[in-house]
Amino acid sequence: MSDTSFVRTEMLEEKAPPASTVGLVGWARENLFSSVLNSVVTLLSFAFIAYVLVGLLPWMFQSSWTSKSLTECRELFNATYGTSHGHACWGVVNDRWLQLLYGFYPDHLYWRVNLTLVLTFAALAPILFSEKTPKQFLYLTMAYPFLMPWLLWGGTIWAPVVAALGFVVGYFVFVTVSKVQSGLVTMIATVIAVLVWWLVLAGPVADTLSGILSLSIESVESRKFGGFMLALLLGVVAIGVSLPIGILLALGRLSDLLIVKAICVGFIEFIRGVPLITLLFVASLLLNVFMPPGTNFDIILRVMIMMTLFSAAYMAETIRGGLAALPKGQYEGADSLGLNYWQAQRLIIMPQALKISIPGIVSNFIGIFKDTTLVSIIGLLDVIGLSQAIRADTAWNGIYWELFAFIALLFFVVCFSMSRYSMYLERKLQTGHKR
Amino acid sequence: MNKSVILSAAAVACLSAVGASAGTLDDVKARGKLSCGVASGLVGFATPDANGEWGGFDVSVCRAVAAAVLGDPKAVDFVPTTGKTRFTALASGEIDMLARNTTWTFSRDVDLKFTFVGVNYYDGQGFMVPKELGVSSAKELDGATVCIQTGTTTELNLADFFRTNGISYEPVPIETNAEAQQQYLAGACDVYTTDASGLAATRAAFENPGDHTLLPEIISKEPLGPLVRHGDNEWGDIVRWSLNALITAEELGVTSANIAEMGAGTENPEINRLLGTEGNLGEMLGLSADWAKNAIMAGGNYGEVFEKNIGENTPIGLARGLNAQWTDGGLIYSPPFR
């Protein structure tokens, strides 16, 4: 009996997969050339990319960074490449980049704008990256709304301090009155006290204090604001203020209180029914005519208010979408726990609704940030307005794409960062139960 | 988060609002700065340089007025205005005067209630065509596509011109001069029409200016000048005579080079009256005696301002033409200083 049975006692070595399915070749076969149609599309796409790059790369890199005028650029290109066509004259960016970033802000005060930008990030950190930021940063976040205007506009420090004291006044009135009166009366008394403080008392108090101890830094008029800094300023304010207003409007629209609901619906539908340009024209032209002559209502402030209201109306609808996506059980669950309206909103409804709305909210943010360029139409020299002004210089008359490329880069950096952050946030808040 | 910024700033803004104004002159003196509306960027007429300093032909008028009133040509807040915002800015008092190549027309003067204090540039609408089109007169443009800025008087002038001559055209509407430049060079239209000064500036920026030609026809009158609000004639007088001082200075041969010498007194009584060594013209305006001298020293006389900003030695290269002194066959003419 011969022993013909064969039992393998050890595993075979793993063989390398066929060369055509691994590495670059494998990846390409699977993703780019998996079928005839795919292959054709791939080749066409490559041809298109190559076509674009062949035009774009020489334009970008066979260029001049040092020329002082378009004519100089053209002479240089003619001498070097034989044609003045198809080469970028980056000299304009080199010459004017500070102006494009800071507008007419005095150059010895650029540090204030830079500091404001740094503070913006520091103040946003506890909101954006709450678990990675020390709690102390929250104080900065609270102080930021008062620090930012002071740093940018300058003047005495007492104006923002007195404005901030309005909240302290409100708090004390609230505490005092709530001991003796009901909720509604307290609310009304607080609001009245704060308004009286801001509208009547704040000015004289600030004047008196600055008379005693000046503590002021060089003031800069709104007219000097411009360039990308203006876009960031308008964007940050519109984004920062429109979110809370938008939440309140969304809740108001879903409210059972008839008047609140009517006001919110009316506001949202009116603002959404009107183009942003119209609102900007109202801010720059109509308000001027309505107000008494000599009234100096800052143009940038007017534009800020209009952009914020515009953004808030869209924000409200985005958040309402998030609220509508929540199942009714969540509301009922909150009720069954005995939470009152605001507790339920804060602890149960809003965290979920906002999470659902993140892509929409960030879309809104990016949209309103890009819409800030519309202010060039009402004569504010933001980056787009400045690009026209620069083109009016005889040295740079006729330059076009270089300026827009630079502006596009500035906006891309900011908008892309926002978009990436929103994806990070979505991943972070992912709780697993996808519907 | 930032709600309080708005509230506090609004409160501050409301509080700092000042009451109704007495007269523009007093306001300007109290403020220490002239608020002057200019174009937000127009080649040769108003443009900020890399340091944010404004310069240009219209800007020089602002500087001359500031020098006459405040003694300092730099004491000007330049407010960039667009074609749409300029009149409201002036009417609402946001600016004290407007020097933004604005055409003096009946309705702007009468209906919008502005006072045009004079003309600092006589312009007219022209046509630019590529040489290879082989056209030598605007009347040969039958069936042409024309790039035209929308919402301007040029659009109406164009329609009038083609209708009067019984020929047809196809408009290509565009928004800004820069866009027009791109469209025209890309061949989207055969002809580009706007004010002749603008055409010259546009052509100067081309890679091959020699390939394009300006047609001889000028189809409209565009007297451009500074303007102020109705209702403050004293202020209007100041702006008017500051402009006239520049014009008279050229006529009398007063330049920024010799003004110091002439300011000491000359044989010519009109120069003396202009520069304040004789008579009391400054006092009549409510200004100092050397107001006109300051205005001229701000940027030179009319001719010097012209040559420096838009004249034949600049890339724009405009000839004086209609804007020569009346003694040289132009239309620039100032009433006498007496």
Side-chain angles (χ1 to χ4, degrees), chain A residues 302-314:
Chain A
R302 281 183 264 161
V303 170
M304 270 181 192
I305 294 174
M306 285 303 180
M307 298 207 80
T308 305
L309 295 183
F310 183 80
S311 177
Y314 280 85

Side-chain angles (χ1 to χ4, degrees), chain B residues 87 90 96-99 102 114-117 225-229:
Chain B
F87 295 125
L90 182 59
D96 304 315
M97 59 176 283
L98 180 68
T102 302
F114 295 126
T115 303
F116 284 81
V117 299
L227 53 154
V228 297
R229 282 181 295 279

Side-chain angles (χ1 to χ4, degrees), chain A residues 207-241:
Chain A
D207 285 346
T208 320
L209 284 172
S210 60
I212 298 167
L213 185 62
S214 167
L215 279 185
S216 65
I217 52 177
E218 193 178 329
S219 55
V220 181
E221 298 158 338
S222 294
R223 201 163 283 143
K224 305 266 183 207
F225 287 40
F228 196 58
M229 165 206 158
L230 181 62
L232 280 178
L233 174 68
L234 293 175
V236 165
V237 172
I239 287 172
V241 185

